[in-house]
Amino acid sequence: MAANGTTSPQSLHVWDTKDNFLVCKLCSEVYTNPKLLPCLHTFCEDCLERFASVDVDIVECPVCRVNHTIPDLGVAGFEDNGFVASLCEALSAKDEDTRGREVPCSVCGDDEDGEVLSVSHCIECGDNLCPDCAFAHPRTKFTRGHHVVSLFELLFVKNKGKLDERRKDIDQDFDKEAPKYRAASERSLSKVKGFLDTASKKIPSYETSIRKLRESETHKARQKTEVSEQIAETTRKYISAVEEQKRFLLSELETVYEREKLDIEAEKDSLSVDLVRLRSTCDFTEKLLRYGSDLEVIQYQDRLIENLQEVGKLEPRDDIIEGLVGSELLFVTEDADVQYVLQKMGQLETRLKDDTTSVSEADANSADELDDVDRPILRKDDVDVMRLDSLTKSTDDETDQPERRDSMAHAKTTKRLVLDFGNDGEGEGQFLAPEGVLFTDTGDILVLDSIQKSMQVFGQEGEFKSRVKLPVFPRNVVWTKEGYLALTGNMHGRGCVVIMDPEGRELRRFDADGKLEFVHGIAVDSHSRFILTDVRKHKVTIHSPEGDLVHQFGKYGNDAYSFNKPHYVTVNSRDELIVCDRGNHYVKVYDYQGKFLRKFGGCGNDANNFIYPYGACVLTSGDSADDIVVCDSGHNMLKIFHSDGNFHRYVLTQDDGLMSPKTLALREEHNQLVLTERDRCYVKVYKLED
């Protein structure tokens, strides 16, 4: 660029018009009366007039979308772009040797419709090209990369020389008449060039950013396809699992139906035999009394009396009949169960590539099964809870989810993992279904395995020490006041409590005369009474230290004295019974005699809600005495509630690697808690800090 600010002949090249520099972006033609907007974008005056709104006094730039106030004179009041106008003038200058000459295409030449005219020119090979050939020429194998320019540009280069001569004459006149402006012009030129350099340096960063976004756009499209395939595959797995569960349930239904049908038929046959005997005896006696002689009556008297006495003792077995008639064959399910399955299918997340936040892993051994029976189950993948109210009925309000996510993000996690041990298997230190867990006085850890029928002992570093085979399928274990182990177990459809010494030798057992069906939770109060939960009977039973049944309450339902698969129970310093009503998503509290006091929880995603509460224990010391620690299995959390049921704080969350916790035990003097993750066959010990 010349010192006087004019454009030198060497500074303009054929590429100056490569991006249609002299073409209006609205009409795609060479500018006519170009107008310069404050944003430095140029348009034809007529085009801008048509583009501007007639209702408002602003016009939006079609290129950068910046709004500009229209001058009082209208679009005509915008500044003329003299620079572009002069270039357009050079482009339109007369050139007898070039303008008006129609050049045929060097490739096509003539076709059946007549001569094909060229519009472009190849710099490298010198061919004149029609529009179709101009498009294909730089893309074919042998001419790839050739520079094709329009005849329009070639014409501009030729006529530009005339414009430069004209500007030179004008500049010479300007130098003679206005020398005083030279220094100011040079200062302005220097300042503009400085700003130009600064602005130009930003162009590569913008180009890089746009390139990254384009690459990201392509990457996200690929991710969308991959995630879509993952969702489809997960859905197929769930459908397959649901179909398998359906087949099992129908098979189980057929088995239960046939068994009850046989029981009914057997009882009917027994009653029919008794009825025939009654009728025949009574009929014979009536006929003998009516038609027989006195001698015949005397002759059959003894036999009649004997038979009548026997049939007179016959009675329908009301207890059996009531059991057969009163029982109902039901399919028990809940909206919350369906919601939970859908929630565990997974969710979509958008994370930064370097985000180290733990993501829920697919877990084929989810906790939400009816684990009170040993049978095939519907497994679910475990992920953070996602609201699905639009798919299933729920008691949750639609506004719960943002609150839950916020509470999760600010969960107070005052703990650290001390150790974890175990994996899936049948060897030493391995588990198939770790259930009850307990600390010993020395800090060893006892773990029950409800499938392997065993109790394993581990040291404070998680090292395997010993294994004891058990006579029942165990569920939960506690210490008695005498320092013995009391564990709940089941065998052949009946439940019992086994009392053992610390080495695992059985001392005695009780089953309340066969009234226990499937005992699970167990606690011992200050009077050495045993408090049990019966999952199948939906009951809580209270037993004397000797095992005799003292009191029981509960039935299937969701009122104060009803349960839906109560799994665990514990007691506080006031001997209040704290029951985890798993199926109803509540924790219910009763007094020493079994009188209902309060409940807290309920299905939902708030801090004070649960999805399938399992294990629970009570803090015993300090200001936190009688606070309740609950395994919120569905939310992958441990929570602490005050004794009145009000939420206190989070102990552990999914961010700590927690996955469907089941049972837990405390060693408060060492600020430790141990818990089991039954579905992943893990046992974990955490530091419970204040």
Side-chain angles (χ1 to χ4, degrees):
M1 185 171 287
N4 60 3
T6 62
T7 305
S8 67
Q10 292 77 19
S11 64
L12 284 174
H13 302 284
V14 69
W15 313 118
D16 290 338
T17 58
K18 182 88 175 157
D19 296 324
N20 299 321
F21 180 66
L22 300 181
V23 174
C24 175
K25 296 299 188 296
L26 291 177
C27 65
S28 300
E29 299 289 344
V30 178
Y31 288 111
T32 301
N33 194 16
K35 290 292 183 180
L36 182 66
L37 296 180
C39 60
L40 299 184
H41 290 119
T42 304
F43 305 94
C44 298
E45 180 179 346
D46 291 341
C47 295
L48 203 57
E49 190 73 52
R50 289 191 298 270
F51 184 79
S53 174
V54 297
D55 298 328
V56 294
D57 59 352
I58 60 173
V59 60
E60 180 185 69
C61 175
V63 176
C64 64
R65 285 175 268 183
V66 175
N67 290 329
H68 304 292
T69 302
I70 299 176
D72 294 337
L73 297 178
V75 171
F78 282 117
E79 181 181 357
D80 293 328
N81 193 332
F83 169 62
V84 170
S86 64
L87 294 179
C88 292
E89 181 183 351
L91 185 63
S92 61
K94 297 293 184 181
D95 190 316
E96 298 298 336
D97 294 332
T98 306
R99 294 183 63 85
R101 180 184 300 173
E102 296 179 343
V103 182
C105 177
S106 301
V107 179
C108 300
D110 298 332
D111 64 8
E112 59 183 8
D113 295 329
E115 188 177 52
V116 180
L117 301 179
S118 63
V119 296
S120 301
H121 182 80
C122 177
I123 300 299
E124 282 76 13
C125 60
D127 287 341
N128 296 315
L129 305 170
C130 67
D132 292 337
C133 294
F135 177 80
H137 191 79
R139 294 170 174 79
T140 58
K141 181 177 181 180
F142 298 104
T143 58
R144 183 172 299 151
H146 282 198
H147 297 92
V148 176
V149 300
S150 66
L151 295 179
F152 174 88
E153 292 173 321
L154 291 177
L155 181 61
F156 170 77
V157 172
K158 185 174 183 63
N159 292 329
K160 178 178 64 64
K162 298 178 181 180
L163 176 64
D164 291 340
E165 293 178 0
R166 180 181 174 188
R167 283 180 170 172
K168 186 176 181 181
D169 294 339
I170 294 174
D171 291 340
Q172 289 175 352
D173 293 339
F174 179 84
D175 291 342
K176 294 177 182 179
E177 297 179 2
K180 61 180 180 180
Y181 294 109
R182 175 65 60 188
S185 175
E186 291 179 352
R187 288 194 300 271
S188 297
L189 179 62
S190 176
K191 183 182 296 185
V192 170
K193 288 179 65 177
F195 285 110
L196 174 62
D197 291 341
T198 301
S200 298
K201 290 177 181 178
K202 296 183 180 294
I203 293 176
S205 64
Y206 273 85
E207 291 175 340
T208 301
S209 298
I210 292 174
R211 187 187 71 253
K212 289 181 179 178
L213 290 174
R214 286 173 178 165
E215 293 173 353
S216 177
E217 186 177 24
T218 303
H219 179 63
K220 288 186 182 299
R222 186 164 56 250
Q223 281 185 323
K224 176 189 174 186
T225 302
E226 293 173 355
V227 172
S228 177
E229 292 173 352
Q230 292 171 1
I231 292 174
E233 178 62 24
T234 301
T235 302
R236 284 192 292 269
K237 290 180 180 179
Y238 271 74
I239 291 174
S240 175
V242 171
E243 289 293 337
E244 180 180 350
Q245 184 73 352
K246 173 186 174 182
R247 289 190 293 270
F248 166 76
L249 289 173
L250 291 176
S251 174
E252 186 181 46
L253 173 64
E254 188 67 25
T255 300
V256 173
Y257 169 73
E258 290 296 332
R259 183 176 66 244
E260 294 197 356
K261 180 181 176 182
L262 289 175
D263 291 343
I264 291 174
E265 289 178 349
E267 191 63 21
K268 282 171 54 182
D269 291 342
S270 176
L271 292 175
S272 297
V273 170
D274 290 346
L275 180 60
V276 169
R277 187 179 177 188
L278 274 168
R279 282 179 173 171
S280 62
T281 301
C282 292
D283 184 62
F284 179 82
T285 303
E286 289 176 352
K287 289 181 179 179
L288 180 63
L289 294 177
R290 179 177 297 181
Y291 303 112
S293 64
D294 293 339
L295 182 61
E296 290 172 332
V297 171
I298 294 172
Q299 180 182 353
Y300 292 102
Q301 172 185 339
D302 293 340
R303 189 179 304 173
L304 285 174
I305 292 174
E306 180 181 353
N307 285 347
L308 287 171
Q309 285 178 337
E310 288 182 3
V311 298
K313 295 177 181 178
L314 295 177
E315 292 287 347
R317 295 183 295 180
D318 291 336
D319 54 341
I320 296 178
I321 294 174
E322 287 299 324
L324 294 173
V325 174
S327 65
E328 291 184 337
L329 189 57
L330 303 173
F331 176 60
V332 180
T333 186
E334 298 181 42
D335 291 335
D337 294 331
V338 179
Q339 181 194 31
Y340 186 81
V341 173
L342 293 176
Q343 289 170 343
K344 295 308 173 185
M345 274 191 67
Q347 69 178 17
L348 295 178
E349 289 189 357
T350 301
R351 295 189 299 142
L352 296 178
K353 293 181 181 179
D354 59 350
D355 189 358
T356 57
T357 303
S358 62
V359 181
S360 301
E361 298 290 341
D363 183 4
N365 300 316
S366 173
D368 179 29
E369 76 254 11
L370 186 65
D371 57 0
D372 51 352
V373 287
D374 297 321
R375 58 178 177 82
I377 57 176
L378 176 62
R379 303 286 187 179
K380 310 160 196 69
D381 292 343
D382 208 340
V383 297
D384 192 16
V385 176
M386 179 175 63
R387 297 288 301 157
L388 291 168
D389 292 338
S390 60
L391 299 179
T392 62
K393 295 180 180 178
S394 173
T395 58
D396 304 332
D397 188 90
E398 292 183 357
T399 60
D400 287 347
Q401 181 65 3
E403 295 174 1
R404 154 149 165 78
R405 292 193 179 278
D406 181 69
S407 62
M408 280 286 292
H410 297 87
K412 183 179 180 182
T413 54
T414 56
K415 69 281 159 187
R416 61 182 180 87
L417 182 65
V418 177
L419 65 94
D420 60 352
F421 55 88
N423 55 58
D424 191 358
E426 300 182 24
E428 294 180 349
Q430 296 180 317
F431 310 106
L432 294 179
E435 288 276 1
V437 64
L438 202 61
F439 279 113
T440 68
D441 291 339
T442 60
D444 289 345
I445 301 171
L446 310 179
V447 184
L448 304 182
D449 193 314
S450 63
I451 293 182
Q452 295 194 76
K453 294 174 61 178
S454 68
M455 178 178 70
Q456 298 188 61
V457 182
F458 297 86
Q460 297 184 35
E461 301 299 323
E463 71 277 12
F464 172 82
K465 285 191 170 183
S466 63
R467 175 188 293 185
V468 177
K469 296 299 290 185
L470 300 175
V472 294
F473 294 99
R475 290 293 170 169
N476 200 15
V477 61
V478 295
W479 290 108
T480 67
K481 299 296 182 181
E482 298 78 22
Y484 297 133
L485 293 170
L487 63 87
T488 55
N490 305 278
M491 179 67 75
H492 306 306
R494 298 180 65 175
C496 66
V497 174
V498 180
I499 311 298
M500 302 186 303
D501 65 17
E503 286 72 38
R505 292 184 291 267
E506 181 176 348
L507 302 177
R508 63 185 177 91
R509 70 172 69 181
F510 66 85
D511 62 1
D513 298 327
K515 293 184 175 62
L516 303 178
E517 184 171 345
F518 196 96
V519 291
H520 202 292
I522 182 172
V524 178
D525 66 10
S526 62
H527 300 278
S528 296
R529 300 186 311 168
F530 295 99
I531 295 90
L532 311 177
T533 60
D534 194 318
V535 174
R536 283 184 178 160
K537 287 188 174 182
H538 311 286
K539 283 186 177 182
V540 173
T541 60
I542 303 174
H543 303 261
S544 69
E546 293 74 30
D548 298 326
L549 181 63
V550 176
H551 180 55
Q552 62 180 343
F553 58 93
K555 58 183 175 59
Y556 177 76
N558 192 21
D559 56 28
Y561 292 95
S562 300
F563 303 101
N564 183 359
K565 300 185 285 289
H567 272 64
Y568 291 93
V569 61
T570 188
V571 296
N572 61 19
S573 62
R574 298 185 294 275
D575 281 339
E576 293 175 341
L577 318 182
I578 301 165
V579 183
C580 291
D581 189 0
R582 187 190 82 113
N584 289 324
H585 313 285
Y586 278 104
V587 172
K588 297 179 179 178
V589 183
Y590 301 83
D591 70 7
Y592 173 83
Q593 296 179 332
K595 178 183 177 182
F596 176 77
L597 299 177
R598 58 190 171 276
K599 67 178 180 180
F600 57 92
C603 184
N605 296 315
D606 285 342
N608 59 331
N609 292 141
F610 302 114
I611 292 182
Y612 299 111
Y614 268 83
C617 61
V618 175
L619 301 176
T620 60
S621 60
D623 296 335
S624 300
D626 283 343
D627 280 2
I628 306 166
V629 186
V630 182
C631 290
D632 188 350
S633 179
H635 285 137
N636 304 316
M637 295 179 179
L638 258 67
K639 303 175 180 178
I640 292 183
F641 293 79
H642 293 304
S643 59
D644 58 5
N646 288 320
F647 174 78
H648 177 37
R649 65 179 177 91
Y650 295 96
V651 184
L652 298 171
T653 72
Q654 184 172 287
D655 292 338
D656 303 293
L658 208 59
M659 189 72 72
S660 298
K662 285 295 188 295
T663 57
L664 75 157
L666 290 174
R667 193 183 183 203
E668 284 192 75
E669 63 273 19
H670 294 275
N671 282 337
Q672 287 184 344
L673 64 85
V674 60
L675 57 86
T676 62
E677 293 179 338
R678 181 181 186 270
D679 310 320
R680 296 202 298 186
C681 299
Y682 274 118
V683 176
K684 294 183 176 181
V685 178
Y686 284 90
K687 185 73 172 179
L688 180 64
E689 299 176 349
D690 294 332

